[in-house]
Amino acid sequence: IHDDTDSLVEADGSADMGPVACDPPLSIFGSATAARPYDLIRLTPSGGTGAWRFSLAEDQSGALLNETTGAYLAGELSGTTDRIRLTDDGCLGMADYAIRVVNAMVISPIGGEVERGQSFQFRVEEGSGAFEFALVSARSGGEITPDGLYTAGAVTGADIVRIRDLETGQTSDVALTVVRDVVLQPRP
């Protein structure tokens, strides 16, 4: 039924003003803000009525996205950013979530022997650019700083350093053997 203002009038006499803004507002939470090619990220929606729908507002990597579950699979093109949009079929509103697609981190050194008390700086290339360094095992008494400066301990033994990309979640363990003296031996 229409009245003279062209609003839809409900059976109880109230006017239907059309869709309303989402309350609470829509938002998206993801397990990561960066992904390596072909990484799977689960996106979690909140707000609105719960009639959520996901879409790729920008697909620079060649990603795949499940529009009902929010499962995102990064595409093969790194150095790109994909933008996922959340809408709600029951209200007006939207939320966006950006995911940078980056190459896997490359760590150097990847292991080896170190003399007691020797220090060196880990170098990490590629990845998201945000990294965390931690000693998983410090049998030599070794230490590592937050920026990746490793110092071997005073006793011989094996130390394991874990390097984690804070945005992709990629981790890599580096085994270092602390010895009395490092001996270089040529290999033909």
Side-chain angles (χ1 to χ4, degrees):
I1 302 175
H2 288 283
D3 65 10
D4 46 39
T5 62
D6 281 341
S7 308
L8 187 60
V9 176
E10 301 292 329
D12 65 0
S14 63
D16 179 2
M17 304 308 280
V20 296
C22 294
D23 186 25
L26 296 174
S27 65
I28 306 174
F29 171 77
S31 58
T33 55
R36 296 168 295 172
Y38 304 112
D39 272 354
L40 180 65
I41 296 176
R42 174 75 183 203
L43 300 171
T44 305
S46 66
T49 67
W52 300 305
R53 190 159 316 276
F54 293 91
S55 64
L56 279 165
E58 286 182 48
D59 180 11
Q60 296 178 356
S61 75
L64 297 174
L65 178 71
N66 183 304
E67 71 174 22
T68 54
T69 67
Y72 163 88
L73 182 67
E76 66 181 336
L77 296 176
S78 63
T80 60
T81 300
D82 293 335
R83 191 163 46 92
I84 295 90
R85 177 161 292 156
L86 173 67
T87 56
D88 191 309
D89 291 342
C91 58
L92 295 175
M94 67 179 180
D96 286 353
Y97 191 84
I99 299 175
R100 294 184 308 124
V101 181
V102 300
N103 289 321
M105 62 181 175
V106 178
I107 301 163
S108 119
I110 57 170
E113 290 185 346
V114 182
E115 284 187 24
R116 295 173 298 160
Q118 182 181 4
S119 294
F120 65 86
Q121 178 70 47
F122 275 99
R123 189 175 73 222
V124 183
E125 297 174 352
E126 301 288 349
S128 72
F131 307 107
E132 174 182 73
F133 299 86
L135 273 171
V136 177
S137 174
R139 293 196 175 153
S140 80
E143 298 176 347
I144 192 152
T145 64
D147 63 345
L149 179 63
Y150 168 80
T151 302
V155 296
T156 59
D159 289 350
I160 299 175
V161 177
R162 178 165 294 154
I163 301 147
R164 185 170 77 93
D165 187 316
L166 295 174
E167 292 186 41
T168 67
Q170 177 189 2
T171 61
S172 185
D173 289 349
V174 176
L176 300 167
T177 304
V178 178
V179 296
R180 284 189 193 282
D181 297 307
V182 173
V183 177
L184 297 178
Q185 296 178 345
R187 292 187 184 173

